[in-house]
């Protein structure tokens, strides 16, 4: 985003303070209320952050389900082995 912002003159070096680094674009837009800096800020910051959060939640759920499936499969295997041992012990 830094390269794109610098190439189109997006950054405002005056009045950054605690605000957003994308400020007053295009220059002088605050007087006629046609600023698009909020839209650009959402594009560069909010959408990637939201995607990252959703990807994190999705990946955690996938890992959880994979581990649960492994535990269930292991329990089935252990139960089958126990039943086979009991059969063998009864025959002896």
């Amino acid at each position: 985003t830094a390269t794109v912002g610098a190439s189109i003159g997006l950054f405002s070096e005056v009045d950054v303070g605690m605000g957003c680094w994308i400020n007053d674009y295009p220059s002088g837009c605050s007087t006629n209320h046609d600023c698009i800096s909020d839209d650009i800020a959402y594009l560069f910051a909010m959408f990637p952050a939201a995607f990252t959060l959703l990807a994190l939640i999705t990946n955690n759920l996938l890992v959880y389900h994979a581990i649960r499936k492994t535990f269930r499969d292991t329990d089935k295997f252990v139960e089958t082995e126990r039943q086979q041992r009991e059969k063998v012990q009864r025959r002896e």
Side-chain angles (χ1 to χ4, degrees), residues 22-69:
I22 299 175
N23 192 10
D24 193 33
Y25 182 78
S27 295
C29 70
S30 60
T31 57
N32 55 9
H33 305 292
D34 62 349
C35 293
I36 60 170
S37 56
D38 289 343
D39 298 334
I40 294 172
Y42 280 123
L43 179 68
F44 282 164
M46 195 271 304
F47 292 130
F51 174 76
T52 301
L53 180 64
L54 289 174
L56 177 69
I57 292 169
T58 302
N59 288 333
N60 280 333
L61 288 172
L62 289 173
V63 168
Y64 172 78
H65 286 291
I67 291 172
R68 283 287 296 212
K69 183 181 181 306

Side-chain angles (χ1 to χ4, degrees), residues 44-90:
F44 282 164
M46 195 271 304
F47 292 130
F51 174 76
T52 301
L53 180 64
L54 289 174
L56 177 69
I57 292 169
T58 302
N59 288 333
N60 280 333
L61 288 172
L62 289 173
V63 168
Y64 172 78
H65 286 291
I67 291 172
R68 283 287 296 212
K69 183 181 181 306
T70 302
F71 282 157
R72 274 189 255 125
D73 292 347
T74 302
D75 288 343
K76 287 178 187 176
F77 176 76
V78 169
E79 182 63 27
T80 304
E81 287 293 313
R82 186 185 62 75
Q83 288 173 357
Q84 288 178 355
R85 269 192 237 117
E86 287 176 356
K87 280 183 183 178
V88 169
Q89 288 175 353
R90 280 187 228 147

